[in-house]
Amino acid sequence: MGSLSHSIQTFVAAHGLEAGLLLMVLESACIPVPSEVTMIYAGYLVSQGDMSFAAAVLVGAFANLVGSWIAWAAGAYGVDAWLYRTERNRRHAEQAHRWFERYGTPVVFFSRLVPIVRTFISLPAGVARMPLGRFSVLTFAGSLLWSLLLVAIGDAAGANWETWHSRLGDLNYVVVAVAAALVGVWLLRRRRSTA
C-alpha cells in the first residue's frame, strides 16, 4: 500500500490536475485507486502553491462523476466478468448492492462519503436502472463534498505533510464513522416522518 501511495503521489506531482482527473475516473470506475491518497496529496500541492484549491476540488468531483457513469453503464447493461475477477472486488460490489437495496436513492449520495463502498455503489444503481439524471446529481454532490474534504485536509497539512502522511491510514475510520452517523440521522428522520 505504501508503494502504491508513493506512486500516486509521484504521478500527481508530475502531471498535476490531469493525473488527478485520470486517477479519480479510474477509482469511480471500480479500479482500486485510493481517492484519499490522490486528493489529499492534491491538497498538499495546493498548500505549496502548485495547484488551485477550486480546480482540484472540481476536477476530483467531475472525474468521479465520469467514472461513475462508466460503472453505472456496466451495471445497467451487464456487469463484465473482469469487475468481479477477484474475491475482494466481488465482496465490495455485493456490499454496495446490499446498501442500495436497503436504503434506496439517498445511499448514492451518502455512499460517496464512505471509502470502498463509494467506488462500487454505481453498479447496483445501474442494475436498478436509477434515472441517470438523478444519479448524476447525487453522485456529483456527494463527490464534490468528498473532494472538498480531502483537498482541505491536504491543504491544512501543508508543511507538516510527512506527519499527516503517516496518519492517512486512520482517515478511513473517521470518514466511515461520520458517514454512518449521517445515514443514521437520515434513517431516523425518515422513520419519524413515516410514522
Side-chain angles (χ1 to χ4, degrees):
M1 184 63 177
S3 177
L4 176 60
S5 296
H6 179 72
S7 298
I8 289 171
Q9 291 171 26
T10 302
F11 185 52
V12 174
H15 301 286
L17 290 173
E18 291 84 0
L21 178 71
L22 175 62
L23 292 171
M24 294 298 277
V25 167
L26 292 175
E27 186 254 354
S28 279
C30 302
I31 307 299
V33 177
S35 60
E36 296 89 343
V37 176
T38 302
M39 297 310 293
I40 289 177
Y41 191 70
Y44 167 72
L45 293 178
V46 168
S47 76
Q48 302 303 299
D50 297 328
M51 193 177 288
S52 157
F53 187 97
V57 171
L58 289 172
V59 164
F62 176 72
N64 267 177
L65 178 60
V66 172
S68 294
W69 283 338
I70 296 169
W72 181 95
Y77 302 108
V79 179
D80 292 332
W82 69 268
L83 286 173
Y84 288 101
R85 69 190 181 282
T86 67
E87 180 63 27
R88 183 172 179 269
N89 277 8
R90 188 160 40 251
R91 282 199 317 270
H92 293 330
E94 287 168 358
Q95 180 184 12
H97 186 72
R98 286 194 300 272
W99 275 50
F100 189 84
E101 289 294 312
R102 187 168 182 183
Y103 302 116
T105 298
V107 80
V108 173
F109 172 80
F110 288 115
S111 68
R112 299 299 167 184
L113 308 175
V114 181
I116 298 174
V117 172
R118 69 185 308 279
T119 301
F120 291 93
I121 198 64
S122 303
L123 291 172
V127 169
R129 295 296 178 97
M130 181 180 190
L132 190 57
R134 188 192 321 154
F135 172 79
S136 299
V137 169
L138 293 168
T139 294
F140 185 77
S143 298
L144 188 66
L145 185 56
W146 178 250
S147 295
L148 179 65
L149 172 67
L150 296 184
V151 172
I153 289 171
D155 189 20
N160 299 315
W161 173 249
E162 289 306 320
T163 303
W164 277 77
H165 181 253
S166 66
R167 298 176 181 164
L168 287 181
D170 298 329
L171 179 65
N172 283 353
Y173 300 108
V174 174
V175 174
V176 167
V178 171
L182 290 171
V183 170
V185 168
W186 176 81
L187 289 173
L188 185 61
R189 287 183 177 174
R190 183 177 179 188
R191 181 174 291 178
R192 285 179 178 170
S193 65
T194 301

